[in-house]
Amino acid sequence: MMEMVLPVANATAAALARDSAVFNAPLARAVVFGIHIDGHLIVEGLLIAAILFQLSRKSYKPPKKPLTEREVDELCDDWQPEPLCPPIKEGARIDAPTLESAAGPHTTVDGKEVVNFASANYLGLIGNENIIDSCVGSVEKYGVGSCGPRGFYGTIDVHLDCESKIANFLGTQDSILYSYGISTIFSVIPAFCKKGDIIVADEGVHWAVQNGLQLSRSTVVYFKHNDMASLASILEKLTHGNKRTEKIRRYIVVEAIYQNSGQIAPLDEIVRLKEKYRFRVMLEESHSFGVLGKSGRGLAEHYGVPVEKIDIITAGMGNALATDGGFCTGSVRVVDHQRLSSSGYVFSASLPPYLASAAISAVNHLEENPSVLANLRSNIALLHKELSDIPELEIASNILSPIVFLKLKTPTGSAVADLELLEIIAEKVLKEDSVFIAATKRSSLDKCRLPVGIRLFVSAGHTESDIFKVSASLKWVAASVV
């Protein structure tokens, strides 16, 4: 065995000796411009040159050969296109109950009469005879639609009357009508806020506000939900020692009553911070207009803040006024800017005239019957009292909010699981006790991360027995489900 190994070892040693002699030769230790060049540098240089040579060569491309008709047909048969939308997951389908009558305090759902706490009919004006009469007269005079945007022969005198009515009611200089409530805020925000501007917004704003923020392409910073310490901290960080911030437009965007929680924004503190840090305030009042304040004029009246301190106010008219469309109100300059710059106003067919007539009649009703606000607040207080002792659920909303927001007292840790429990409660309350309520189901586009819950929309038209009924039903159903 040793006799076979020794010749191989000797040959290897001889080869190593030859390589060593090559690299130790005088040429390998040449001096160029005073620099000693070792043998390994020469080898590395040759390798680099070889790599560069290979990289510089043109790649080989096989000649193109056209496909036969048979091959094309086979490829077409094998091709599977991507779906236009992802498949709907189990449990994600929305099978909403169908209303078969007006969405008043009592309505008909799937053939059954129910008590309705799922419609934001705050003043109980759905079915009001004066409003219906005004709509009938408007349809007879103007027809149903306007068949044109406001700037292209779609402006009708009743639109101007409605804008004037809202401005006079709120004490602002001017107003502008929009055709669709939810499009109001996400048209107004990008009309004023552009790329490079700064928007500080509450993290609990609903989807329409989120969409407006995204369309504006502004720099958006969120503060903790209804937390003024968080808002003040962010405003301080953005402005302290930053001269660039002083030269760009800056906005605070909040909701008066948050749709996703029922909380009320502290407008007095927001205005104080706005003036201290020189921001503009954009206030969304879809759930507070016609509800808050001594005469229903909204959050400014509720806090006693002069309305001119709020730069831009928007609201949908589909809640308290029981009509449709929306409006923005403020200074003449703010309103006139939107008539050429707001996409929802410029490119949409104007609000159907009968809906503008309904809005005027609804505001007139509120001015002539202020007691309706007392009825609404009495119902809200009674519902809070009746629901305060449910072991499984807790009230997260403000005592003055017509949105009574219930969330799980002990969450599961998963928003999906929480929502499933809440939907089971809502479905069982409807099926067993004929009470129509709704869980806060959100789309995949909604980025709000506040806890999910059950929203009860309280109406001035509800009776005490309605409130006792929904309270009793929620108590026993929640105990059996959670």
Side-chain angles (χ1 to χ4, degrees):
M1 185 68 177
M2 289 297 295
E3 292 177 355
M4 295 177 65
V5 172
L6 283 173
V8 176
N10 292 335
T12 303
L16 290 172
R18 285 196 301 273
D19 291 342
S20 178
V22 171
F23 284 105
N24 291 327
L27 179 62
R29 293 186 179 275
V31 178
V32 179
F33 298 112
I35 301 174
H36 292 278
I37 301 177
D38 293 332
H40 70 87
L41 292 178
I42 295 174
V43 175
E44 290 172 358
L46 292 173
L47 289 173
I48 292 172
I51 292 171
L52 292 174
F53 172 73
Q54 292 294 337
L55 291 174
S56 64
R57 294 180 63 189
K58 292 184 178 180
S59 60
Y60 172 75
K61 294 183 179 179
K64 292 184 178 180
K65 185 179 179 181
L67 297 174
T68 64
E69 290 187 7
R70 180 179 177 182
E71 290 173 329
V72 171
D73 291 339
E74 290 176 351
L75 289 173
C76 290
D77 292 339
D78 293 339
W79 181 65
Q80 294 293 332
E82 290 290 329
L84 292 176
C85 58
I88 299 177
K89 298 179 181 178
E90 185 67 26
R93 292 184 178 275
I94 301 176
D95 297 320
T98 302
L99 273 69
E100 299 169 356
S101 63
H106 296 84
T107 187
T108 303
V109 174
D110 297 330
K112 181 170 62 175
E113 186 176 342
V114 300
V115 180
N116 184 12
F117 281 89
S119 301
N121 176 30
Y122 298 140
L123 301 182
L125 295 182
I126 289 180
N128 180 275
E129 291 184 2
N130 291 332
I131 295 177
I132 292 173
D133 290 342
S134 71
C135 290
V136 171
S138 182
V139 169
E140 291 176 347
K141 181 178 181 180
Y142 304 106
V144 176
S146 59
C147 298
R150 288 289 300 273
F152 297 92
Y153 311 107
T155 295
I156 300 172
D157 56 2
V158 71
H159 293 141
L160 304 178
D161 294 341
C162 186
E163 290 172 345
S164 177
K165 185 68 181 180
I166 290 170
N168 291 335
F169 179 70
L170 292 177
T172 55
Q173 294 179 9
D174 202 359
S175 294
I176 181 172
L177 285 182
Y178 284 81
S179 306
Y180 191 39
I182 199 170
S183 70
T184 304
I185 185 64
F186 68 65
S187 295
V188 170
I189 292 177
F192 291 95
C193 309
K194 308 296 180 182
K195 187 175 182 179
D197 296 344
I198 293 177
I199 302 176
V200 180
D202 191 290
E203 66 178 359
V205 292
H206 64 79
W207 176 81
V209 181
Q210 297 170 30
N211 193 37
L213 298 175
Q214 182 181 11
L215 291 173
S216 73
R217 301 192 300 161
S218 302
T219 300
V220 182
V221 182
Y222 290 97
F223 64 92
K224 294 180 181 178
H225 180 49
N226 225 21
D227 187 333
M228 293 301 100
S230 174
L231 174 59
S233 174
I234 289 174
L235 296 181
E236 177 68 22
K237 290 178 182 177
L238 289 173
T239 57
H240 182 69
N242 189 346
K243 293 185 178 180
R244 177 181 172 274
T245 305
E246 297 175 359
K247 299 178 182 179
I248 60 179
R249 291 171 296 197
R250 308 178 297 279
Y251 300 87
I252 299 171
V253 177
V254 293
E255 293 178 52
I257 296 179
Y258 290 94
Q259 181 175 301
N260 288 326
S261 71
Q263 287 290 319
I264 296 178
L267 184 63
D268 51 349
E269 182 66 14
I270 291 171
V271 169
R272 186 187 71 80
L273 293 173
K274 163 219 168 179
E275 293 176 342
K276 177 180 179 181
Y277 294 101
R278 298 187 177 183
F279 274 64
R280 296 180 175 94
V281 170
M282 196 175 293
L283 181 64
E284 215 291 312
E285 290 219 66
S286 290
H287 295 283
S288 60
F289 176 71
V291 173
L292 291 182
K294 183 179 179 181
S295 55
R297 286 173 166 83
L299 195 63
E301 184 182 46
H302 174 69
Y303 279 101
V305 173
V307 72
E308 58 268 16
K309 288 184 177 291
I310 307 170
D311 300 277
I312 301 169
I313 297 174
T314 69
M317 299 190 297
N319 299 325
L321 300 189
T323 178
D324 202 359
F327 67 84
C328 179
T329 189
S331 66
V332 172
R333 187 176 180 182
V334 163
V335 169
D336 285 348
H337 175 73
Q338 296 173 66
R339 298 198 189 276
L340 291 176
S341 302
S342 180
S343 59
Y345 177 89
V346 173
F347 300 109
S348 296
S350 61
L351 185 71
Y354 73 93
L355 293 177
S357 297
I360 294 172
S361 297
V363 175
N364 288 337
H365 178 86
L366 180 58
E367 290 179 316
E368 296 166 2
N369 301 276
S371 61
V372 70
L373 294 172
N375 294 339
L376 174 61
R377 289 162 190 160
S378 175
N379 286 343
I380 295 170
L382 179 60
L383 185 58
H384 269 257
K385 179 183 176 182
E386 293 298 313
L387 296 177
S388 61
D389 59 348
I390 299 181
E392 299 80 15
L393 302 172
E394 62 179 345
I395 300 174
S397 52
N398 189 283
I399 185 64
L400 294 176
S401 169
I403 302 174
V404 177
F405 194 93
L406 299 172
K407 63 180 183 179
L408 291 173
K409 190 167 287 186
T410 307
T412 63
S414 165
V416 175
D418 289 350
L419 186 57
E420 287 179 356
L421 277 175
L422 295 167
E423 286 179 339
I424 292 172
I425 292 174
E427 290 170 2
K428 197 167 184 178
V429 165
L430 176 61
K431 182 178 179 181
E432 301 293 336
D433 292 327
S434 299
V435 177
F436 189 26
I437 62 176
T440 57
K441 187 172 289 186
R442 296 172 186 157
S443 76
S444 58
L445 301 175
D446 195 334
K447 304 302 180 185
C448 178
R449 293 295 176 263
L450 296 184
V452 294
I454 291 175
R455 272 194 296 253
L456 303 177
F457 294 102
V458 184
S459 172
H462 284 133
T463 64
E464 287 188 359
S465 61
D466 295 336
I467 293 170
F468 291 144
K469 184 173 184 178
V470 69
S471 302
S473 180
L474 278 169
K475 287 177 182 178
W476 82 262
V477 171
S480 65
V481 171
V482 179

